[in-house]
């Protein structure tokens, strides 16, 4: 069983700058800075997509600058 290690980042919210299809493994985000103006370091992160509606989805991805790669959908169960 694989183990994911991720960084915990508080107060971070951004928009996708490219549309994310169901089978996509890459996309870009508009900003990689948190609410304090600190740039997120490259690495593995867990993200919530569409957190404010019923289509909420959780993913794990590798962040490099503003590019997300190796995107995998994960379940809260």
């Amino acid at each position: 069983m694989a183990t994911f290690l991720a960084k915990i980042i508080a107060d971070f919210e951004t928009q996708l700058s490219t549309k994310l299809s169901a089978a996509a493994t890459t996309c870009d985000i508009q900003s990689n800075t948190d609410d304090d103006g600190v740039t997120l370091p490259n690495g593995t992160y867990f993200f919530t997509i569409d957190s404010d509606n019923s289509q909420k989805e959780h993913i794990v991805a590798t962040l490099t600058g503003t590019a997300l790669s190796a995107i995998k959908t994960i379940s809260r169960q």
Side-chain angles (χ1 to χ4, degrees), residues 12-69:
F12 174 75
E13 186 174 329
T14 191
Q15 303 290 322
L16 296 177
S17 59
T18 55
K19 191 170 183 173
L20 184 61
S21 70
T25 59
T26 63
C27 75
D28 293 310
I29 55 176
Q30 289 183 355
S31 173
N32 65 343
T33 55
D34 67 15
D35 288 354
D36 295 322
V38 177
T39 301
L40 277 63
N42 295 340
T44 301
Y45 291 88
F46 293 90
F47 295 95
T48 302
I49 309 292
D50 293 330
S51 63
D52 57 351
N53 69 47
S54 63
Q55 300 298 315
K56 185 186 306 189
E57 182 179 358
H58 303 280
I59 64 169
V60 61
T62 301
L63 176 69
T64 306
T66 58
L68 297 179
S69 61

